[in-house]
Amino acid sequence: MTPSLSTPNTSAWQLEPIEVDVAVLGAGQAGLAVAYYLRRAGLRAWTGYVLLDANPGPGGAWAHVWPSLRLFSPAEYSSLPGWPMPAPTGRGFPPAAHVVDYLTRYEDRYELPVHHEVRVTGVSRLDDDGDGRLLVQTTAGVWAARVVVSATGTWGRPFVPFYPGIDSFAGCQLHSAQYAGPQEFVGQRVVVVGGGNTGAQVLAELSEAARTTWVTARPPTFLPDDVDGRALFMAATARRQALDAGRPDPGGVASLGDVVMVPPVREARERGVLVARPMFSRLTRTGVEWSDCTAEEADVVLWCTGFRPDLAHLAPLGLRGAAGRIPTTGTRALAEPRLYLVGYGDWTGPGSATLIGVGRTARETVADLTARLEALPSAPRRLRQRPARSAEGVRHEGGLTSPR
Ligand code: FAD
């Protein structure tokens, strides 16, 4: 359903901004979930709402993760609103390629208006009119939107903490975002940094091909073997319910433990690999060194140290707050009511950086922004009447996997 960039409304030679009601920036799972609800609210594809995505194809970050990565939940706990993720063939939780396939088919199924290979370079105010439009500058022209939903994720901003000597290490340093599998590290000495799920899973796999050392900032905590991503989802749900009801914060998913014991990690534990050393104090030219003066030679330091919100395109709006985040109420930016942020982490909605968790945040976001659109005195295009919901839609949307 994606038109080519040579179609008149998206061509690089376009001079006038293309006007839309809603521009969704990013078409990973968060952008698609928002688009699902925009469609259901009756906005017209392409002219009412559009998604702009830098990737050449569907799948968001899932198209870039290392090939052996599997979800830490079964398919039925990994669904976006409307259409449950089909079960994968074979045993085990769905692999990353299955998620890419699901997101590809999701995009097609709902005929979502995604322009791929269009990078947003900046979002700015057209004028001082609070009811006016935001300008979305991209590599393929300019859009002028009444509302912008930023759903650009974190994959584009890998985080590496600073340690003394980081520039003098003569070996190879890479972030987990660049990790493509163990084959290129056979026989090498690899220091894996990071005590989260990525660190544990990469360590488990690499330790079969390389000589690994695991280093974590604090001792890693492991979930019980019989607890998987379903428990994380339930914890996120319980937290949201407690906060909504004004009860004390029971803590997010972090309170359960850091590492889900997926089969490769369990197997690594049986091999005695899951033993972490504390964080080193500096890098040397040939390896890493701890504060007690012990040292280890290394060929590779692999940083599994997470990501930060990828928000550089919003810099012209001048909204940045503490920790690189933009202060929000719900998902709406406090200082710019035409801007919403979806999917970046618990700060934009409990569990909103997970497949199943983002649906509820997306639904609430669309309810809020459509109310805003309806109230605009200048809105030239009213939301058209809601389409009748198909029997299929009713069936799926009432199910467990659809966080309504
Ligand atoms: P993304 O998937 O990153 O999508 C953002 C999109 O925005 C991308 O397509 C990108 O190209 C586009 N974009 C970025 N910048 C721009 C720009 N300037 N202009 C235009 N487009 C732009 N979640 C689970 O539910 N279950 C799991 O088992 C699970 N495992 C995970 C394992 C790993 C290793 C990681 C890193 C995450 C995991 N997650 C899991 C978390 C979560 O599902 C992902 O982080 C998810 O990809 C976030 O979706 P998103 O749509 O917010 O961002």
Side-chain angles (χ1 to χ4, degrees), residues 48-233:
Y49 73 105
V50 71
L51 293 90
L52 308 171
D53 190 275
N55 271 353
W62 295 105
H64 302 288
V65 297
W66 64 96
S68 64
L69 178 69
R70 285 179 178 268
L71 294 183
F72 49 62
S73 320
E76 65 267 27
Y77 272 79
S78 307
S79 298
L80 294 182
W83 182 45
M85 179 186 284
T89 47
R91 294 177 56 217
F93 293 163
H98 185 75
V99 184
V100 174
D101 181 59
Y102 171 62
L103 297 181
T104 305
R105 290 162 64 191
Y106 191 92
E107 210 177 288
D108 285 348
R109 182 185 183 93
Y110 296 111
E111 300 183 335
L112 300 178
V114 184
H115 289 298
H116 281 290
E117 239 167 345
V118 173
R119 175 168 289 281
V120 176
T121 51
V123 178
S124 55
R125 297 179 183 86
L126 181 56
D127 51 41
D128 291 336
D129 178 1
D131 286 342
R133 291 172 184 271
L134 293 175
L135 273 190
V136 180
Q137 308 273 353
T138 80
T139 48
V142 183
W143 274 260
R146 296 180 187 283
V147 169
V148 167
V149 180
S150 188
T152 48
T154 60
W155 187 259
R157 262 196 80 201
F159 173 71
V160 174
F162 176 80
Y163 278 88
I166 194 162
D167 293 329
S168 60
F169 178 61
C172 164
Q173 292 187 63
L174 74 161
H175 188 273
S176 60
Q178 299 154 310
Y179 173 73
Q183 57 284 349
E184 59 187 291
F185 303 102
V186 174
Q188 298 197 31
R189 298 162 299 179
V190 184
V191 175
V192 178
V193 185
N197 284 298
T198 299
Q201 288 184 31
V202 166
L203 174 81
E205 172 171 279
L206 259 184
S207 59
E208 297 207 80
R211 236 178 65 200
T212 50
T213 302
W214 194 22
V215 175
T216 61
R218 57 189 170 85
T221 53
F222 303 100
L223 275 82
D225 284 7
D226 58 347
V227 171
D228 59 35
R230 281 172 281 204
L232 303 183
F233 170 65

Side-chain angles (χ1 to χ4, degrees), residues 118-396:
V118 173
R119 175 168 289 281
V120 176
T121 51
V123 178
S124 55
R125 297 179 183 86
L126 181 56
D127 51 41
D128 291 336
D129 178 1
D131 286 342
R133 291 172 184 271
L134 293 175
L135 273 190
V136 180
Q137 308 273 353
T138 80
T139 48
V142 183
W143 274 260
R146 296 180 187 283
V147 169
V148 167
V149 180
S150 188
T152 48
T154 60
W155 187 259
R157 262 196 80 201
F159 173 71
V160 174
F162 176 80
Y163 278 88
I166 194 162
D167 293 329
S168 60
F169 178 61
C172 164
Q173 292 187 63
L174 74 161
H175 188 273
S176 60
Q178 299 154 310
Y179 173 73
Q183 57 284 349
E184 59 187 291
F185 303 102
V186 174
Q188 298 197 31
R189 298 162 299 179
V190 184
V191 175
V192 178
V193 185
N197 284 298
T198 299
Q201 288 184 31
V202 166
L203 174 81
E205 172 171 279
L206 259 184
S207 59
E208 297 207 80
R211 236 178 65 200
T212 50
T213 302
W214 194 22
V215 175
T216 61
R218 57 189 170 85
T221 53
F222 303 100
L223 275 82
D225 284 7
D226 58 347
V227 171
D228 59 35
R230 281 172 281 204
L232 303 183
F233 170 65
M234 285 169 192
T237 305
R239 182 179 195 212
R240 179 186 280 269
Q241 285 166 348
L243 295 179
D244 286 352
R247 296 195 299 271
D249 187 348
V253 291
S255 59
L256 287 175
D258 295 325
V259 178
V260 181
M261 300 306 286
V262 291
V265 177
R266 283 209 295 270
E267 197 269 327
R269 182 186 59 199
E270 307 315 318
R271 285 188 282 117
V273 170
L274 283 197
V275 182
R277 292 198 66 174
M279 199 57 212
F280 48 76
S281 55
R282 70 183 191 105
L283 288 93
T284 63
R285 210 182 67 76
T286 56
V288 296
E289 194 175 284
W290 282 265
S291 51
D292 62 5
C293 292
T294 57
E296 190 145 317
E297 305 273 287
D299 304 302
V300 179
V301 176
L302 176 41
W303 299 95
C304 302
T305 39
F307 297 83
R308 295 290 181 264
D310 193 355
L311 300 174
H313 54 289
L314 302 177
L317 295 172
L319 302 170
R320 215 175 138 108
R325 298 174 181 177
I326 290 176
T328 55
T329 167
T331 55
R332 184 165 16 98
L334 266 179
E336 178 47 83
R338 293 166 289 183
L339 174 69
Y340 293 77
L341 296 112
V342 177
Y344 294 97
D346 278 1
W347 63 283
T348 54
S352 67
T354 62
L355 282 154
I356 194 165
V358 74
R360 179 172 171 161
T361 305
R363 177 167 55 86
E364 290 171 355
T365 297
V366 171
D368 197 85
L369 75 81
T370 49
R372 181 186 156 75
L373 284 175
E374 292 281 17
L376 283 178
S378 57
R381 195 181 299 123
R382 292 285 167 211
L383 305 184
R384 68 183 158 84
Q385 213 169 1
R386 281 176 167 225
R389 282 158 61 184
S390 66
E392 178 187 58
V394 171
R395 188 174 68 244
H396 292 324

